[in-house]
Amino acid sequence: MAKLGKRTRAAREAFAGKEDLSVADAIELVKANASAKFDETVEIALNLGVDPRHADQMVRGSVNLPNGTGKTVRVAVFARGDKADEAKAAGADIVGAEDLMETVQSGKIDFDRCIATPDMMPIVGRLGKVLGPRNLMPNPKVGTVTMDVKEAVEAAKGGQVQFKVEKAGVVHAGIGKASFDAKKLEENLLAFVDAVQKAKPSGAKGTYMKKVAISSTMGPGVSVDVSSATGN
């Protein structure tokens, strides 16, 4: 069995026996043990009582975190004419139409978020096999297929987080950096959980929010008392 490093061993000891903490206590614990040489991301995972194989149990949406994510997001926009100009003015990193499609088809994907105007979807639709697996396909349900390009670009740049439930019923996302003030991380966490709560699908039966846990990029995870995270 591989020998654990000092940092990993110390973190595990710090987390041992601790579970179902309040939001504030969980954040303090994660922050105190985020000791990597880079600014670790604080990540949240929600275990939901849904089976996303059924259409009426799909959980999907987006939320503007009040304190941003601390991450620089590169945004690509499929648009023409005035809307292309609007995207550039709003701070989009890459703007194009057929030329951008060809770039993506060649395998060069130098962006973290993809936005498109509705008239561009016949072009973007050809990229489903490339963008879909990377969760980059524009979708009107999360506001990335829109005529309001300016708002979509500014939201993406300003800390908007998209979420989509995975096969096992888990939703996860980054909610900030370990260097963030604890209060700001707490506000981001509560905003994210609230958005997932509001996205509860009609087909969800029984307990919807089953478990909440947070961790840093390189650190162990700790469970959060669900009532502390949901306010129930």
Side-chain angles (χ1 to χ4, degrees), residues 1-64:
M1 184 175 175
K3 188 176 181 181
L4 296 176
K6 287 183 180 179
R7 188 181 65 80
T8 303
R9 192 163 58 246
R12 289 193 177 183
E13 289 172 357
F15 280 69
K18 295 178 180 176
E19 56 184 32
D20 291 338
L21 303 183
S22 68
V23 170
D25 287 346
I27 287 172
E28 287 292 355
L29 181 63
V30 168
K31 275 177 60 66
N33 289 278
S35 56
K37 293 180 180 179
F38 61 94
D39 193 5
E40 297 181 53
T41 296
V42 175
E43 300 171 356
I44 187 169
L46 310 179
N47 188 356
L48 306 178
V50 298
D51 183 349
R53 291 177 297 180
H54 301 288
D56 65 349
Q57 294 188 48
M58 172 55 67
V59 179
R60 183 175 202 154
S62 63
V63 57
N64 294 322

Side-chain angles (χ1 to χ4, degrees), residues 36-196:
K37 293 180 180 179
F38 61 94
D39 193 5
E40 297 181 53
T41 296
V42 175
E43 300 171 356
I44 187 169
L46 310 179
N47 188 356
L48 306 178
V50 298
D51 183 349
R53 291 177 297 180
H54 301 288
D56 65 349
Q57 294 188 48
M58 172 55 67
V59 179
R60 183 175 202 154
S62 63
V63 57
N64 294 322
L65 297 181
N67 301 299
T69 62
K71 179 184 177 183
T72 300
V73 178
R74 287 184 58 80
V75 178
V77 178
F78 282 88
R80 286 195 181 98
D82 291 344
K83 288 299 173 182
D85 294 338
E86 184 181 318
K88 292 173 185 174
D93 299 279
I94 307 167
V95 181
E98 285 85 358
D99 55 335
L100 180 52
M101 178 189 72
E102 291 172 3
T103 299
V104 173
Q105 284 178 328
S106 73
K108 186 178 180 182
I109 302 176
D110 193 20
F111 51 86
D112 310 295
R113 183 72 59 86
C114 187
I115 295 163
T117 53
D119 59 300
M120 288 284 100
M121 288 312 290
I123 290 174
V124 179
R126 301 179 205 171
L127 303 172
K129 290 183 179 179
V130 182
L131 298 178
R134 294 173 172 81
N135 204 24
L136 288 172
M137 193 69 181
N139 189 305
K141 292 182 179 179
V142 293
T144 48
V145 176
T146 177
M147 287 300 288
D148 196 344
V149 174
K150 180 176 183 290
E151 182 181 345
V153 171
E154 290 177 347
K157 290 281 189 179
Q160 185 188 69
V161 172
Q162 296 180 355
F163 56 86
K164 180 182 178 182
V165 68
E166 298 175 353
K167 288 180 181 179
V170 175
V171 168
H172 66 82
I175 56 168
K177 294 292 185 179
S179 60
F180 278 23
D181 176 78
K183 190 64 180 175
K184 289 184 176 181
L185 283 172
E186 184 173 341
E187 290 170 353
N188 280 0
L189 184 153
L190 295 175
F192 184 83
V193 171
D194 182 59
V196 176

